[in-house]
Amino acid sequence: MFSKNVYTNRRNQLKKLVKTGLILIPGNDDAPMNYPDNTYHFRQDSTFLYFFGIDLQGLAGIIDIDNDREIIFGDDYTIDDIIWMGPQPTLNEQASKVGVSETRPAKDLSNVISEALKQKRTIHFTPPYRYRNILKLADLLNIHHKDVKNHASLALTKACIKLRSTKEPCEIEEMERHMSIAWEMHTTAMKMAQPGISEQKITGVLEGISMSGGGIISFPVICSVRGETLHNHYHGNILKKGDLLLVDAGSESPLHYATDHTRTTPVSGQFTDLQKQIYQIVLDANDRVREATKPGVPYLDVHLLACKVIASGLKEMGLMKGDVGQAVAEGAHALFMPHGIGHMIGLDVHDMEDYDDTLVGYDEEIKRSTQFGLSALRMGRRLKPGFTITNEPGIYFIPALIDKWKADKKFTQYINYDKVEAMKGFGGIRLEDDILVTDTGARILGQRIPITVEEVEQITGTGV
Ligand code: GLY
Ligand code: MN
């Protein structure tokens, strides 16, 4: 937990932004895995963590702006709980650590909400994403569960995005501290990348490193020799000579801040000339992105810059042709990079995506495109100091997409399909860092994980 004044200050700022009404922030509950008492690892809701900080099940917080009251609802543990769980602090003790003096039993929440509804007051809540909270809100607000999301508060959602987008120094410190675990995860994967080892074994070790560093993984590990599948969660392959192993993995810090990095490693210990050529284009794009990232610059422009670096590299190799600027403007490069250059990162790996990724990444000035590839860019708006974002260019040869575009004769003026055909089976390369927008530019959070051709070849397959 951060210090008390961090949470008090956040709630005060939220009140100023939302101005009137009652803000309801439900925490998460345990979710059963296969029977009620055997639950998934508990993960607290990020909005609750941000404003109320308590990392426990069964809680809800309200901020009654008009009556200047803040209450945390929840039940103290009974003696039966304590027998199984050991001694627990009271809710009141927990609440006082985050500057909240009033706590009430969980059952009182419905009275408070129904009283507010009788008075026709606005109840603000952000869009729920867990079914249990959707059902709870439906009961509390007397609305059909299918209609709950339509009642979410745009004013509250926008206020939360405004506050959470700019990371406070204590958050940056927490994120930066945890980057050493990301470094250990990825360098370990590189060292383990040898012919004969399974993706599953590496995945298990990565999850273990995350856990021993203080937290669960921040999203399911992507560890695959079929890196052209963007979110490949199949771990059944055995690595062999000539493969490229793509590992996209992150860890949650003890206070639940995410890391998210990708590295691509030659299983043979050395890149082939062809692998090196493609790798170097992706690395150039990654470096150019970081150099171009500064306050005031739309991340959309940085994304397009990365696309141009990729398209011109592919043109030099004869895989693309024609005018690079025009090819990128029309979206031809998306055959090779169908995703965005990055997203916000913080308490969530795709930060605040429960609210709505378009609200997080776009605004009145910069609107989200519907063009294939560009539409997948989650973060397009102008950057500000304190934003933490990912920088993750990639080049992929996706057989099904190549076949489709070729059959549709798509962008034949920009794509040399004969040469691209020969790249089927190559796989994919992505290189991802987490970066902080500073007052004058951007810097990588933590020590950079080995990334140059020389650095990667030096460490790959050395064993752990
Ligand atoms: N690391 C997974 C993603 O950014 O989508
Ligand atoms: Mn990412």
Short mmCIF file of all heavy atoms in Angstrom, two decimals, residues 260 343 350 390 392 432, ligand 2:
data_model
loop_
_atom_site.label_atom_id
_atom_site.label_comp_id
_atom_site.label_asym_id
_atom_site.label_seq_id
_atom_site.Cartn_x
_atom_site.Cartn_y
_atom_site.Cartn_z
N ASP A 260 5.36 -5.45 -19.09
CA ASP A 260 4.95 -6.07 -20.35
C ASP A 260 6.08 -5.89 -21.36
O ASP A 260 6.30 -4.79 -21.87
CB ASP A 260 3.67 -5.37 -20.85
CG ASP A 260 3.14 -5.96 -22.14
OD1 ASP A 260 3.61 -7.04 -22.55
OD2 ASP A 260 2.23 -5.35 -22.75
N HIS A 343 0.28 0.65 -25.86
CA HIS A 343 -0.90 0.94 -25.03
C HIS A 343 -0.41 1.50 -23.71
O HIS A 343 0.76 1.35 -23.35
CB HIS A 343 -1.69 -0.34 -24.80
CG HIS A 343 -0.84 -1.52 -24.37
ND1 HIS A 343 -0.48 -1.75 -23.06
CD2 HIS A 343 -0.22 -2.50 -25.11
CE1 HIS A 343 0.28 -2.83 -23.00
NE2 HIS A 343 0.47 -3.30 -24.22
N HIS A 350 -3.00 -3.61 -20.01
CA HIS A 350 -3.59 -2.63 -20.94
C HIS A 350 -4.37 -1.70 -20.03
O HIS A 350 -5.52 -1.97 -19.68
CB HIS A 350 -4.54 -3.29 -21.94
CG HIS A 350 -3.84 -4.09 -22.99
ND1 HIS A 350 -4.50 -4.62 -24.06
CD2 HIS A 350 -2.53 -4.43 -23.16
CE1 HIS A 350 -3.64 -5.27 -24.84
NE2 HIS A 350 -2.44 -5.16 -24.30
N THR A 390 3.65 1.28 -23.67
CA THR A 390 4.53 0.27 -24.26
C THR A 390 4.95 0.70 -25.67
O THR A 390 4.27 1.49 -26.31
CB THR A 390 3.84 -1.12 -24.35
OG1 THR A 390 2.72 -1.02 -25.24
CG2 THR A 390 3.38 -1.60 -22.98
N GLU A 392 6.02 -1.41 -28.89
CA GLU A 392 6.10 -2.82 -29.29
C GLU A 392 5.89 -3.06 -30.78
O GLU A 392 4.92 -3.68 -31.19
CB GLU A 392 5.12 -3.67 -28.48
CG GLU A 392 3.70 -3.16 -28.40
CD GLU A 392 2.82 -4.06 -27.53
OE1 GLU A 392 2.80 -5.27 -27.78
OE2 GLU A 392 2.16 -3.55 -26.61
N GLU A 432 9.45 -5.38 -27.40
CA GLU A 432 8.61 -4.48 -26.60
C GLU A 432 9.31 -4.02 -25.33
O GLU A 432 9.84 -4.82 -24.57
CB GLU A 432 7.32 -5.23 -26.21
CG GLU A 432 6.38 -4.43 -25.33
CD GLU A 432 5.08 -5.19 -25.05
OE1 GLU A 432 5.05 -6.43 -25.17
OE2 GLU A 432 4.09 -4.53 -24.68
MN MN B 2 1.97 -4.91 -24.76
#
